[in-house]
Amino acid sequence: MLSVFAVRVSVRVGLPSLLLYLGFGLLIGEAGLGIKFDNAGLTQALGIAALVLILAEGGLTTRWSGVKSALGLGISLSTVAVAVSVAVTGACLHLILGLDWRMALLWGAVLSSTDAAAVFSVLRGVGVGKRLAGALELESGLNDAPVFIAVVLLVSGDPVRWTTPLLVVYELGAGALIGAAVGWLGAFALRRAALPATGLYPIAAVAMCVLAYAAGDLSHASGLLATYVAGLVMGNSRLPHRSDTLSFAEGLGWLAQIGLFVLLGLFASPARLLSALVPALVAGAVLVLLARPLSVLLAATPFRVKWREQVFLSWSGLRGAVPIVLALIPLTQGVPGAEQLVDAVFVLVVVLTLVQGATLPVVARWLGLVRSGQPREIEVDAAPLDQLGAELLQVRIQRGSRLHGVYLSELRLPVGATVSLIVREDAGFTPKSTTRLQEEDQLLVIATETAREGAERRIRAVDRAGRYARWKGDPGD
């Protein structure tokens, strides 16, 4: 309950709420109320479980229309940038802190993952362009998988063979394919299932994402990547009761974030954190000032990303709970020096979240990347009318939508679809062909199963390009 109310407090004071959750964990821990919790294995298991839910929420709520233009850049940031960041951070820490090469690269791998929870909670309120925001969302959702593989390989102590890169490619490729398959099957099944209660649809959607993780893990592929891809596929499919599903996933994501950060705060030992301050600050300086900018430069330059956007991408490498969870892997395996790594990562996450998370909107405005007044994408929710062979679409017209001022006759919905009701200022009425749509209107559209997809495409096209969308070449995808 305290963490839920802390969201409001964090918005007022401009402090990232994730830090408050860590603070609550520290308050009830050994240095506060005296609850001692040092089970690294349980913390790691719960951390991965929470990460699965966070990635599921991230995939379900990510709109393909907002990230498809940044697909190549996002993949490059989650692969090329990760490899460069691990190498540069590891080499610098080997020289500066005197760590052996395997431990130095392990530090680099743990710190190279941007955190999905931190990015999803902070970035979506900054207001940068679609391509930039989409690239960062894709990076945070996709880069956990290669980083997790790198950490496991380094912890295992096995020598790097010529087959190791092939193994990594298999795990990532198979994870993506499994996620896409499970997501497609999940969306297909939900569209055709007549579940007895509306609340079962969101549970089934999230369960499919968890199933994707399990299927990937059992196939020795990347379960984390499978989770995110499954959520991305289902979230951009024609799901019944879509808004209810997204709201449920968002609430579950918040629950996972809150529980994970409180748990990590409870696990941390404040008595050891002071000794980890210097190594953490050194690693943070290397990461922020050298490794991240260089990795972004090499990953983004082929996509002709402007220097201002590259600076923003460099500063937007938010760290959160994921690096701490990854640092617990060597600790549970008894790797020498792993305890210092966990403490340093904890300190570094707090520092970077405070510095980067709090200043990200300021940096975006300073670079001139904030686009004020951008209309949000129109909301279309669907509910099946099983016995009638039709579907009910609920459409909310957002502020700034090009649907504003369009006559109903100009909407030109396909045969089999019609606007049956408009709710305006809490009053509903049956529209005529001469009715003009307005911002904040809610429309109820009845469409047959064959006309449903065309009706939604047409509504989305007019929302973006206005009544002449067809002439402007916008298909509404």
Side-chain angles (χ1 to χ4, degrees):
M1 282 301 294
L2 289 175
S3 297
V4 171
F5 288 116
V7 176
R8 183 62 179 169
V9 175
S10 67
V11 171
R12 286 182 175 271
V13 301
L15 184 70
S17 57
L18 306 181
L19 293 183
L20 297 180
Y21 308 153
L22 285 173
F24 289 147
L26 290 171
L27 285 176
I28 63 177
E30 60 185 52
L33 297 180
I35 299 176
K36 185 173 178 59
F37 178 75
D38 56 2
N39 191 329
L42 179 58
T43 305
Q44 177 194 331
L46 293 176
I48 293 177
L51 181 58
V52 168
L53 296 179
I54 292 170
L55 288 174
E57 185 263 339
L60 287 168
T61 57
T62 296
R63 292 297 299 168
W64 177 246
S65 59
V67 301
K68 65 180 179 180
S69 61
L71 181 61
L73 178 58
I75 294 175
S76 182
L77 288 172
S78 59
T79 53
V80 176
V82 165
V84 174
S85 180
V86 172
V88 173
T89 304
C92 291
L93 294 183
H94 171 70
L95 296 174
I96 298 173
L97 298 180
L99 301 173
D100 66 81
W101 273 109
R102 187 174 291 271
M103 180 55 67
L105 291 174
L106 188 57
W107 277 58
V110 166
L111 295 174
S112 64
S113 175
T114 57
D115 188 75
V119 171
F120 294 146
S121 63
V122 175
L123 181 65
R124 291 179 180 177
V126 174
V128 295
K130 277 188 176 181
R131 185 182 184 223
L132 207 55
L136 287 168
E137 287 197 27
L138 283 174
E139 179 196 15
S140 64
L142 296 174
N143 69 1
D144 291 337
V147 171
F148 184 84
I149 294 171
V151 170
V152 171
L153 288 174
L154 289 168
V155 168
S156 67
D158 296 334
V160 177
R161 300 183 176 90
W162 67 272
T163 57
T164 301
L166 297 179
L167 175 64
V168 173
V169 171
Y170 161 76
E171 292 194 18
L172 295 178
L177 290 176
I178 290 171
V182 173
W184 185 85
L185 289 173
F188 180 84
L190 287 175
R191 284 196 300 270
R192 283 156 178 77
L195 300 179
T198 302
L200 293 176
Y201 286 92
I203 296 175
V206 174
M208 291 302 296
C209 294
V210 178
L211 176 63
Y213 173 81
D217 195 53
L218 288 173
S219 303
H220 300 287
S222 175
L224 297 179
L225 184 58
T227 302
Y228 182 73
V229 172
L232 189 63
V233 171
M234 282 199 298
N236 289 276
S237 301
R238 293 188 295 109
L239 288 182
H241 303 289
R242 174 184 173 79
S243 62
D244 293 330
T245 299
L246 299 188
S247 295
F248 177 80
E250 186 178 11
L252 204 58
W254 274 108
L255 178 63
Q257 291 180 47
I258 290 171
L260 178 54
F261 275 87
V262 172
L263 177 67
L264 294 175
L266 178 62
F267 177 79
S269 177
R272 299 197 313 264
L273 296 181
L274 188 60
S275 62
L277 182 60
V278 173
L281 294 179
V282 171
V286 169
L287 185 67
V288 174
L289 301 179
L290 182 60
R292 176 69 180 179
L294 183 59
S295 64
V296 169
L297 176 66
L298 295 177
T301 299
F303 297 92
R304 298 179 180 179
V305 179
K306 299 177 181 178
W307 72 267
R308 292 177 182 271
E309 295 179 335
Q310 289 194 24
V311 172
F312 183 77
L313 288 171
S314 299
W315 194 249
S316 302
L318 302 178
R319 269 69 187 174
V322 175
I324 305 177
V325 174
L326 293 175
L328 291 172
I329 296 176
L331 183 63
T332 57
Q333 299 298 317
V335 176
E339 189 174 84
Q340 183 191 28
L341 173 60
V342 173
D343 295 338
V345 170
F346 188 93
V347 172
L348 187 57
V349 164
V350 172
V351 173
L352 293 185
T353 302
L354 183 61
V355 174
Q356 291 180 294
T359 59
L360 200 58
V362 178
V363 172
R365 287 194 297 269
W366 177 69
L367 293 171
L369 299 175
V370 175
R371 299 183 181 181
S372 58
Q374 288 191 107
R376 294 173 55 193
E377 185 172 4
I378 192 168
E379 296 178 4
V380 181
D381 190 19
L385 303 174
D386 303 297
Q387 295 180 350
L388 301 180
E391 294 193 33
L392 176 66
L393 307 183
Q394 181 177 342
V395 181
R396 179 185 294 274
I397 301 178
Q398 305 289 347
R399 290 190 178 275
S401 169
R402 299 295 295 274
L403 280 165
H404 178 75
V406 172
Y407 287 100
L408 197 60
S409 59
E410 296 175 321
L411 196 55
R412 295 189 182 91
L413 295 179
V415 176
T418 184
V419 179
S420 61
L421 182 70
I422 293 179
V423 178
R424 180 177 297 164
E425 297 178 353
D426 298 327
F429 62 93
T430 302
K432 302 177 181 179
S433 60
T434 55
T435 301
R436 296 188 73 176
L437 303 178
Q438 296 182 12
E439 294 178 346
E440 305 296 342
D441 278 356
Q442 295 186 64
L443 283 61
L444 291 183
V445 181
I446 301 292
T448 62
E449 291 181 351
T450 55
R452 183 245 190 256
E453 188 173 349
E456 184 172 344
R457 277 204 308 268
R458 176 60 181 168
I459 291 170
R460 292 192 184 279
V462 178
D463 170 62
R464 287 197 293 260
R467 53 174 62 87
Y468 301 117
R470 190 172 301 166
W471 292 97
K472 294 179 180 179
D474 190 335
D477 293 334

